[in-house]
Short mmCIF file of all heavy atoms in Angstrom, two decimals:
data_model
loop_
_atom_site.label_atom_id
_atom_site.label_comp_id
_atom_site.label_asym_id
_atom_site.label_seq_id
_atom_site.Cartn_x
_atom_site.Cartn_y
_atom_site.Cartn_z
N LEU A 50 -6.62 12.20 -0.38
CA LEU A 50 -5.54 12.03 -1.34
C LEU A 50 -6.06 11.40 -2.62
O LEU A 50 -6.90 10.51 -2.59
CB LEU A 50 -4.44 11.13 -0.76
CG LEU A 50 -3.61 11.73 0.38
CD1 LEU A 50 -2.65 10.68 0.92
CD2 LEU A 50 -2.82 12.93 -0.11
N ASN A 51 -5.54 11.87 -3.73
CA ASN A 51 -5.92 11.29 -5.01
C ASN A 51 -4.73 11.41 -5.95
O ASN A 51 -4.62 12.34 -6.72
CB ASN A 51 -7.14 12.02 -5.60
CG ASN A 51 -7.58 11.39 -6.91
OD1 ASN A 51 -7.30 10.22 -7.16
ND2 ASN A 51 -8.26 12.17 -7.74
N ASN A 52 -3.81 10.45 -5.79
CA ASN A 52 -2.65 10.45 -6.69
C ASN A 52 -2.25 9.02 -6.99
O ASN A 52 -2.56 8.08 -6.23
CB ASN A 52 -1.49 11.25 -6.07
CG ASN A 52 -0.99 10.64 -4.77
OD1 ASN A 52 -0.48 9.53 -4.76
ND2 ASN A 52 -1.16 11.37 -3.67
N PRO A 53 -1.54 8.78 -8.11
CA PRO A 53 -1.21 7.42 -8.54
C PRO A 53 -0.42 6.63 -7.51
O PRO A 53 -0.64 5.43 -7.33
CB PRO A 53 -0.39 7.65 -9.81
CG PRO A 53 -0.81 8.99 -10.30
CD PRO A 53 -1.12 9.78 -9.08
N LEU A 54 0.53 7.29 -6.81
CA LEU A 54 1.35 6.58 -5.85
C LEU A 54 0.52 6.08 -4.67
O LEU A 54 0.70 4.97 -4.18
CB LEU A 54 2.48 7.48 -5.35
CG LEU A 54 3.53 6.82 -4.45
CD1 LEU A 54 4.08 5.53 -5.08
CD2 LEU A 54 4.66 7.79 -4.15
N ALA A 55 -0.44 6.90 -4.22
CA ALA A 55 -1.33 6.47 -3.13
C ALA A 55 -2.15 5.26 -3.56
O ALA A 55 -2.34 4.31 -2.81
CB ALA A 55 -2.24 7.61 -2.72
N ARG A 56 -2.65 5.30 -4.81
CA ARG A 56 -3.45 4.17 -5.29
C ARG A 56 -2.61 2.92 -5.43
O ARG A 56 -3.07 1.80 -5.20
CB ARG A 56 -4.10 4.53 -6.63
CG ARG A 56 -5.20 5.58 -6.52
CD ARG A 56 -6.03 5.64 -7.79
NE ARG A 56 -5.26 6.09 -8.94
CZ ARG A 56 -5.12 7.38 -9.28
NH1 ARG A 56 -5.70 8.32 -8.55
NH2 ARG A 56 -4.42 7.72 -10.33
N GLU A 57 -1.32 3.09 -5.80
CA GLU A 57 -0.42 1.95 -5.93
C GLU A 57 -0.12 1.33 -4.57
O GLU A 57 -0.07 0.11 -4.42
CB GLU A 57 0.88 2.40 -6.60
CG GLU A 57 1.88 1.27 -6.80
CD GLU A 57 3.17 1.76 -7.42
OE1 GLU A 57 3.14 2.85 -8.06
OE2 GLU A 57 4.19 1.09 -7.26
N LEU A 58 0.07 2.16 -3.56
CA LEU A 58 0.38 1.66 -2.22
C LEU A 58 -0.82 0.98 -1.58
O LEU A 58 -0.68 0.01 -0.83
CB LEU A 58 0.86 2.81 -1.33
CG LEU A 58 2.27 3.33 -1.61
CD1 LEU A 58 2.48 4.65 -0.89
CD2 LEU A 58 3.32 2.32 -1.18
N PHE A 59 -2.02 1.52 -1.85
CA PHE A 59 -3.23 0.99 -1.22
C PHE A 59 -4.28 0.69 -2.29
O PHE A 59 -5.26 1.40 -2.46
CB PHE A 59 -3.78 1.99 -0.20
CG PHE A 59 -2.80 2.31 0.88
CD1 PHE A 59 -2.13 3.52 0.87
CD2 PHE A 59 -2.53 1.40 1.88
CE1 PHE A 59 -1.20 3.81 1.86
CE2 PHE A 59 -1.61 1.70 2.87
CZ PHE A 59 -0.93 2.89 2.86
N PRO A 60 -4.06 -0.38 -3.06
CA PRO A 60 -5.00 -0.72 -4.13
C PRO A 60 -6.37 -1.07 -3.56
O PRO A 60 -6.49 -1.64 -2.48
CB PRO A 60 -4.35 -1.93 -4.81
CG PRO A 60 -3.46 -2.52 -3.76
CD PRO A 60 -2.98 -1.36 -2.95
N ALA A 61 -7.40 -0.67 -4.30
CA ALA A 61 -8.79 -0.98 -3.94
C ALA A 61 -9.13 -0.51 -2.54
O ALA A 61 -9.92 -1.13 -1.83
CB ALA A 61 -9.06 -2.48 -4.06
N GLY A 62 -8.51 0.55 -2.12
CA GLY A 62 -8.85 1.13 -0.82
C GLY A 62 -8.30 0.37 0.36
O GLY A 62 -8.69 0.59 1.50
N SER A 63 -7.35 -0.55 0.15
CA SER A 63 -6.79 -1.34 1.26
C SER A 63 -6.05 -0.44 2.23
O SER A 63 -5.31 0.45 1.83
CB SER A 63 -5.83 -2.39 0.72
OG SER A 63 -5.13 -3.00 1.77
N MET A 64 -6.27 -0.68 3.52
CA MET A 64 -5.59 0.09 4.55
C MET A 64 -4.59 -0.78 5.30
O MET A 64 -4.07 -0.39 6.34
CB MET A 64 -6.61 0.65 5.55
CG MET A 64 -7.47 1.77 4.98
SD MET A 64 -6.52 3.28 4.66
CE MET A 64 -6.35 3.19 2.88
N GLU A 65 -4.32 -1.97 4.81
CA GLU A 65 -3.45 -2.90 5.53
C GLU A 65 -2.00 -2.57 5.30
O GLU A 65 -1.58 -2.25 4.18
CB GLU A 65 -3.72 -4.34 5.08
CG GLU A 65 -5.12 -4.84 5.40
CD GLU A 65 -5.36 -4.92 6.89
OE1 GLU A 65 -4.43 -5.24 7.63
OE2 GLU A 65 -6.49 -4.63 7.30
N GLU A 66 -1.21 -2.65 6.36
CA GLU A 66 0.23 -2.55 6.23
C GLU A 66 0.73 -3.86 5.59
O GLU A 66 0.09 -4.90 5.69
CB GLU A 66 0.88 -2.39 7.61
CG GLU A 66 0.57 -1.06 8.27
CD GLU A 66 1.44 0.05 7.74
OE1 GLU A 66 2.16 -0.19 6.76
OE2 GLU A 66 1.38 1.15 8.31
N PRO A 67 1.87 -3.87 4.89
CA PRO A 67 2.40 -5.11 4.30
C PRO A 67 2.62 -6.17 5.38
O PRO A 67 3.21 -5.89 6.41
CB PRO A 67 3.72 -4.68 3.66
CG PRO A 67 3.96 -3.28 4.07
CD PRO A 67 2.72 -2.72 4.65
N LYS A 68 2.09 -7.35 5.14
CA LYS A 68 2.18 -8.41 6.14
C LYS A 68 3.44 -9.24 5.97
O LYS A 68 3.92 -9.84 6.92
CB LYS A 68 0.94 -9.31 6.04
CG LYS A 68 -0.34 -8.58 6.42
CD LYS A 68 -1.54 -9.50 6.33
CE LYS A 68 -2.81 -8.74 6.72
NZ LYS A 68 -4.02 -9.59 6.63
N SER A 69 3.97 -9.32 4.78
CA SER A 69 5.16 -10.11 4.54
C SER A 69 6.40 -9.35 4.95
O SER A 69 6.60 -8.20 4.56
CB SER A 69 5.26 -10.47 3.04
OG SER A 69 6.55 -10.92 2.73
N GLU A 70 7.25 -9.97 5.77
CA GLU A 70 8.48 -9.31 6.19
C GLU A 70 9.38 -9.04 4.99
O GLU A 70 10.07 -8.03 4.92
CB GLU A 70 9.21 -10.18 7.21
CG GLU A 70 8.48 -10.28 8.55
CD GLU A 70 9.29 -11.07 9.56
OE1 GLU A 70 10.43 -11.42 9.24
OE2 GLU A 70 8.77 -11.31 10.67
N ASN A 71 9.35 -9.98 4.03
CA ASN A 71 10.17 -9.77 2.83
C ASN A 71 9.69 -8.57 2.03
O ASN A 71 10.48 -7.76 1.55
CB ASN A 71 10.15 -11.02 1.94
CG ASN A 71 10.88 -12.18 2.60
OD1 ASN A 71 11.80 -11.96 3.38
ND2 ASN A 71 10.48 -13.40 2.27
N ASP A 72 8.34 -8.46 1.92
CA ASP A 72 7.79 -7.32 1.20
C ASP A 72 8.17 -6.01 1.89
O ASP A 72 8.53 -5.04 1.25
CB ASP A 72 6.27 -7.43 1.12
CG ASP A 72 5.84 -8.51 0.15
OD1 ASP A 72 6.70 -8.96 -0.64
OD2 ASP A 72 4.66 -8.92 0.19
N ALA A 73 8.07 -6.04 3.21
CA ALA A 73 8.41 -4.84 3.97
C ALA A 73 9.88 -4.50 3.84
O ALA A 73 10.26 -3.34 3.73
CB ALA A 73 8.04 -5.02 5.44
N ALA A 74 10.73 -5.51 3.85
CA ALA A 74 12.16 -5.28 3.78
C ALA A 74 12.57 -4.72 2.43
O ALA A 74 13.56 -4.00 2.31
CB ALA A 74 12.92 -6.59 4.04
#
């Protein structure tokens, strides 16, 4: 994948799911 939304969701190649419940909510 190479699109702006993917880069925004996973900056710098991060594969981590959001850890903050507030962020997830």
Side-chain angles (χ1 to χ4, degrees):
L50 290 175
N51 182 24
N52 62 65
L54 187 51
R56 290 194 295 271
E57 181 182 339
L58 286 167
F59 301 104
S63 170
M64 289 292 103
E65 296 295 325
E66 292 279 8
K68 294 180 180 179
S69 164
E70 292 184 6
N71 291 332
D72 288 345

